C-alpha cells in the first residue's frame, strides 16, 4: 500500500510533459525509486485532503469548439485508477450522402437539466468520482467533436459503463435538435 501511495505522489508531482513521456521510462523511474518505509512515512495534510476530495460534475453545452484535450483532465483524481472518455465527432456521410457539418439547437436550461439528471443516474448506478459532459451547439464541421463524455472511477469497469451510459442516454433523451448539411442542402431535422 505504501508503495502505491508513493507511486501516486511521484506521478502527481510530475509535470504533464513528464507524464506524457514514454510509459517504459515512467515505469522504470517508478520501479527504481526508493521505497518509503512505514516509520518514515507521515502523510501530509495535503495527502489527507486528497482522500476527502469532493465529487464533481462539469457540464458544458456551448457554441464554442469542444476542448477534446482538456476534458479528461477535468475528471482525473488521485483516488481513481480509471478515466474513460468518449468523443463523438461529425461523420462525413449519412445514408450515402456526403455530410459537411451538423447543426445543433437546444433550449439551454432544459438541455443542462437533462444532463444533470443523467449525471445523477450515473452516480446511483456506478461508484464514480467525477463526470464531465460537453455538447456542442451551432455548426459542427466534419471530424470535429460534437459530444464529449468523461468519467473517472477507482476501477475501469465502472467508468467504462458510466461513459457508455452517459453517451447513449444523451443521444436518446437530451432535448437537442440536429440538422445534417451536405454541399447542396440540409438533410432534415432529428430531435
Amino acid at each position: 500500500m505504501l508503495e502505491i501511495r508513493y507511486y501516486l505522489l511521484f506521478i502527481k508531482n510530475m509535470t504533464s510533459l513528464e507524464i506524457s513521456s514514454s510509459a517504459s521510462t515512467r515505469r522504470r523511474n517508478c520501479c527504481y525509486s526508493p521505497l518509503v518505509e512505514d516509520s518514515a512515512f507521515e502523510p501530509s495534510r495535503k495527502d489527507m485532503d486528497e482522500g476527502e476530495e469532493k465529487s464533481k460534475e462539469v457540464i458544458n453545452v456551448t457554441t464554442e469548439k469542444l476542448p477534446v484535450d482538456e476534458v479528461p483532465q477535468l475528471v482525473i483524481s488521485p483516488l481513481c485508477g480509471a478515466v474513460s472518455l468518449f468523443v463523438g465527432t461529425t461523420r462525413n456521410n449519412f445514408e450515402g450522402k456526403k455530410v459537411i457539418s451538423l447543426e445543433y439547437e437546444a433550449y439551454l436550461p432544459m438541455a443542462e437539466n437533462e444532463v444533470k439528471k443523467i449525471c445523477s443516474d450515473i452516480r446511483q448506478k456506478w461508484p464514480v468520482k467525477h463526470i464531465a459532459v460537453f455538447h456542442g451547439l451551432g455548426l459542427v464541421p466534419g471530424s470535429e467533436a460534437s459530444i464529449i463524455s468523461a468519467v473517472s472511477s477507482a476501477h475501469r469497469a465502472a467508468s467504462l459503463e458510466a461513459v457508455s451510459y452517459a453517451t447513449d442516454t444523451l443521444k436518446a433523451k437530451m432535448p437537442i435538435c440536429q440538422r445534417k448539411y451536405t454541399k447542396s442542402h440540409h438533410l432534415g431535422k432529428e430531435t
Side-chain angles (χ1 to χ4, degrees):
M1 180 67 176
L2 290 174
E3 292 88 10
I4 293 171
R5 183 175 294 159
Y6 181 76
Y7 177 71
L8 289 174
L9 290 172
F10 174 77
I11 293 297
K12 186 172 189 264
N13 291 328
M14 294 174 67
T15 66
S16 59
L17 181 59
E18 290 170 321
I19 289 173
S20 66
S21 67
S22 76
S24 62
T25 303
R26 185 169 62 238
R27 287 191 179 143
R28 193 174 324 116
N29 288 342
C30 174
C31 295
Y32 295 112
S33 296
L35 297 178
V36 178
E37 295 181 22
D38 284 337
S39 60
F41 185 78
E42 286 291 323
S44 70
R45 180 70 193 146
K46 185 179 176 193
D47 295 335
M48 291 167 57
D49 288 344
E50 287 173 353
E52 300 168 11
E53 179 184 29
K54 284 186 162 189
S55 297
K56 66 181 175 186
E57 282 119 23
V58 182
I59 298 167
N60 192 3
V61 182
T62 179
T63 57
E64 300 294 320
K65 183 176 179 179
L66 300 185
V68 176
D69 295 337
E70 296 170 19
V71 174
Q73 300 302 317
L74 298 173
V75 299
I76 287 177
S77 166
L79 302 172
C80 296
V83 170
S84 296
L85 174 71
F86 172 80
V87 179
T89 59
T90 301
R91 194 174 47 240
N92 71 355
N93 64 81
F94 179 74
E95 295 180 351
K97 294 188 167 97
K98 184 175 175 141
V99 173
I100 57 170
S101 66
L102 296 177
E103 183 176 24
Y104 294 95
E105 292 177 358
Y107 177 62
L108 204 51
M110 202 173 185
E112 288 172 343
N113 281 339
E114 192 59 45
V115 177
K116 288 176 187 174
K117 287 179 194 172
I118 292 167
C119 291
S120 177
D121 290 348
I122 287 170
R123 292 203 182 280
Q124 289 177 5
K125 294 173 185 284
W126 296 281
V128 301
K129 189 66 178 166
H130 303 308
I131 304 168
V133 177
F134 284 53
H135 202 297
L137 293 178
L139 283 176
V140 180
S143 301
E144 193 171 294
S146 56
I147 180 173
I148 305 171
S149 304
V151 177
S152 62
S153 63
H155 304 284
R156 71 179 176 266
S159 67
L160 287 167
E161 291 171 15
V163 83
S164 179
Y165 175 85
T167 304
D168 292 345
T169 308
L170 280 166
K171 179 88 170 151
K173 292 187 175 182
M174 194 153 168
I176 285 188
C177 188
Q178 177 192 80
R179 289 185 185 93
K180 295 175 180 72
Y181 287 94
T182 64
K183 285 186 176 183
S184 57
H185 65 290
H186 76 85
L187 298 175
K189 243 185 208 188
E190 260 182 55
T191 54

